[in-house]
Amino acid sequence: QVQLVESGGGLVQPGGSRGLSCVASGSIFSDAVMGWYRQAPGKQRELVAVITSNGRTNYADSVKGRFTISRDNAKNTVYLQMNNLKPEDTAVYYCNLWSRPYTYWGQGTQVTVSS
């Protein structure tokens, strides 16, 4: 079983930056895809970014050019660097790992963008 633990959330002013980390533990296969989702009040959970084991990435249109996803396979860690944050980025951010046929979720970390 895989366990995911996010960290790095908190309060940041609009235009600021924040970095999130997610450490995976357990039996992690080499082809696992990792990503970040977020859920804001009144909205459905949405995909933010994903990254494959060999570095292929995909981003939601709303964060392209502002967020960067990366991973360190040796540390079983995925990162989300968030720049030029906007109030609409406020959400609980969830780490996700896909390794067929399994999907794992972290507990979430709150990111609040407010002045």
Side-chain angles (χ1 to χ4, degrees), residues 28-108:
I28 303 169
F29 293 96
S30 61
D31 62 348
V33 176
M34 301 186 73
W36 291 92
Y37 280 73
R38 67 185 182 186
Q39 187 166 24
K43 294 185 177 181
Q44 297 184 67
R45 187 174 297 187
E46 64 176 349
L47 177 69
V48 177
V50 295
I51 185 168
T52 67
S53 60
N54 58 9
R56 180 182 175 89
T57 60
N58 191 38
Y59 297 90
D61 288 340
S62 59
V63 306
K64 286 181 179 178
R66 300 189 298 119
F67 291 10
T68 302
I69 189 171
S70 61
R71 65 191 291 170
D72 185 333
N73 290 332
K75 296 181 179 180
N76 292 323
T77 302
V78 62
Y79 306 94
L80 185 68
Q81 179 62 44
M82 305 181 293
N83 298 324
N84 191 25
L85 283 161
K86 304 175 181 180
E88 48 264 50
D89 295 319
T90 296
V92 177
Y93 284 72
Y94 297 92
C95 182
N96 186 245
L97 184 150
W98 302 271
S99 183
R100 287 189 298 179
Y102 305 108
T103 300
Y104 304 93
W105 293 92
Q107 82 288 351

Side-chain angles (χ1 to χ4, degrees), residues 10-18 82-87 89 111-115:
L11 178 65
V12 60
Q13 293 186 351
S17 298
R18 197 81 176 183
M82 305 181 293
N83 298 324
N84 191 25
L85 283 161
K86 304 175 181 180
D89 295 319
V111 175
T112 302
V113 184
S114 176
S115 60

